[in-house]
Amino acid sequence: MYSVKSLMRIYFRILLILISSFYSPHVEGEHQVIGSSQAILARAGEDVTLPCHIEPSQRADKMTVDWSRPDLEPVFVHVRQQGREVSHSLNPLYQQRTSLFAEELLRGNISLKLSRVRLSDEGLFKCFVPNLYSSSLIQLRVGVVSQPEILTRPKDDGFALTCDSGCWYPQPEVSWLDSGGNLLAAEPSVTVVGPSDCYSVQRNVTVRGPGRVTCRVRLAHINHTVETHSVIADHNFTQPIGNVNSTQPTSDPVIMIVIVIGSVIVIGNVLAVGYIAYRRWRKKAGTSNGGEENGNVMENGRMLG
């Protein structure tokens, strides 16, 4: 027979096992919402997908899925309740710019597609499934980029090249490289903040020989790089650099005039000689024909007589 004390111990042990089985936060087979452990990078103006899924995979087409930005008011970016999209209570910044992948919901993919990304979209997004009491945070980084331009002008000791990055955000890094991909010794960058709060960075370099050079603009914030190339040809260094793209010497037009006048004189002499020879030939031919005609008349006279 068990004593009352022993029975109480057994009872409490069973009770503790039951409680731990119901309230254990990591029960095998429990579904969780999993996002991206790394920041999602995007350029302003393009579309981006914020990844989020249920693991292990489970249908989510009939579940409630909430996407929100905790730093905004209202916080909700996209809401789907029991298989239906909800348009009320959403932040107006995201109206008509968010959607879920309907077919992917059947496989537990609850990723958010964000269209026409803006700089103001940068921040933390929360993916939450109330049915599972599970959520995940996804960080979005946004940058503005453009195609850099190279401006070239001659100098006494070579060519001065300026790389203008155009409109970027945040501030990018600008560097010059030679044809082998090696960094060139360039002047310090000059940065100007434009009216759109974007950064325009200019950096100069002097090239003293022919070859290909590259202006590289990199935005570490979103790990994006844009390059523009320029080729300095050999013939640009065959004459003094100071004369490149300069006005031609004044003696060139004089030489052209002399050549034209000389050509006219030569052609005129040739024509004159030809004309004189033609007149002599005509005169000679006329004399010969006249003699033959007189002879014929005399012979005719004798015959008539």
Side-chain angles (χ1 to χ4, degrees):
M1 295 291 298
Y2 291 99
S3 63
V4 175
K5 192 173 183 179
S6 298
L7 291 173
M8 292 297 295
R9 287 177 180 174
I10 294 172
Y11 171 77
F12 280 113
R13 286 179 181 177
I14 295 173
L15 183 61
L16 287 174
I17 293 174
L18 291 174
I19 292 174
S20 63
S21 64
F22 277 109
Y23 291 95
S24 176
H26 299 290
V27 179
E28 185 178 356
E30 178 184 0
H31 292 83
Q32 296 181 357
V33 173
I34 307 296
S36 174
S37 59
Q38 298 181 343
I40 305 303
L41 312 178
R43 292 174 293 176
E46 67 180 10
D47 299 345
V48 68
T49 298
L50 304 181
C52 190
H53 67 278
I54 299 173
E55 191 175 294
S57 178
Q58 180 180 355
R59 291 185 61 158
D61 55 322
K62 300 299 181 182
M63 290 184 177
T64 295
V65 178
D66 295 341
W67 277 90
S68 60
R69 287 240 347 231
D71 59 326
L72 297 181
E73 183 61 39
V75 298
F76 292 111
V77 171
H78 189 96
V79 177
R80 181 184 176 91
Q81 290 183 349
Q82 298 178 351
R84 294 185 178 182
E85 304 292 337
V86 177
S87 58
H88 60 81
S89 302
L90 297 182
N91 192 299
L93 294 175
Y94 292 93
Q95 292 284 355
Q96 308 297 323
R97 289 206 299 134
T98 61
S99 61
L100 302 181
F101 301 91
E103 294 297 327
E104 293 295 321
L105 290 172
L106 300 175
R107 290 179 281 273
N109 185 354
I110 52 177
S111 300
L112 179 73
K113 179 181 179 181
L114 179 59
S115 302
R116 304 180 302 280
V117 173
R118 306 169 182 171
L119 282 176
S120 58
D121 292 331
E122 181 167 293
L124 285 175
F125 288 76
K126 181 179 180 181
C127 176
F128 177 53
V129 179
N131 308 64
L132 305 178
Y133 300 99
S134 181
S135 64
S136 182
L137 293 176
I138 298 94
Q139 183 182 18
L140 175 63
R141 292 180 184 172
V142 182
V144 175
V145 304
S146 60
Q147 185 67 41
E149 181 182 5
I150 295 178
L151 307 176
T152 305
R153 64 183 186 279
K155 293 180 61 177
D156 292 338
D157 57 344
F159 283 90
L161 277 65
T162 300
C163 178
D164 188 341
S165 70
C167 180
W168 288 65
Y169 186 89
Q171 183 175 346
E173 303 171 359
V174 178
S175 55
W176 282 99
L177 295 86
D178 61 17
S179 57
N182 304 306
L183 289 174
L184 293 172
E187 299 178 12
S189 300
V190 177
T191 303
V192 177
V193 181
S196 302
D197 294 332
C198 62
Y199 294 88
S200 177
V201 181
Q202 292 186 349
R203 194 169 190 184
N204 298 333
V205 70
T206 298
V207 178
R208 295 179 174 83
R212 167 172 158 156
V213 291
T214 299
C215 170
R216 174 180 293 172
V217 184
R218 181 175 182 270
L219 191 57
H221 184 67
I222 60 172
N223 192 28
H224 188 78
T225 301
V226 180
E227 294 182 347
T228 298
H229 310 285
S230 180
V231 177
I232 306 299
D234 291 336
H235 65 79
N236 290 324
F237 292 90
T238 58
Q239 56 180 325
I241 297 299
N243 291 336
V244 175
N245 294 331
S246 63
T247 304
Q248 295 295 326
T250 55
S251 59
D252 288 353
V254 175
I255 294 175
M256 293 299 297
I257 293 174
V258 171
I259 292 174
V260 172
I261 293 176
S263 300
V264 172
I265 293 174
V266 171
I267 294 173
N269 290 335
V270 171
L271 293 176
V273 171
Y275 179 74
I276 293 172
Y278 174 75
R279 290 291 303 272
R280 289 179 177 176
W281 176 81
R282 287 291 305 272
K283 184 176 181 181
K284 184 178 180 180
T287 304
S288 175
N289 292 335
E292 293 178 358
E293 292 175 359
N294 292 334
N296 291 334
V297 170
M298 291 177 65
E299 290 177 0
N300 293 334
R302 292 192 193 100
M303 291 174 62
L304 290 174

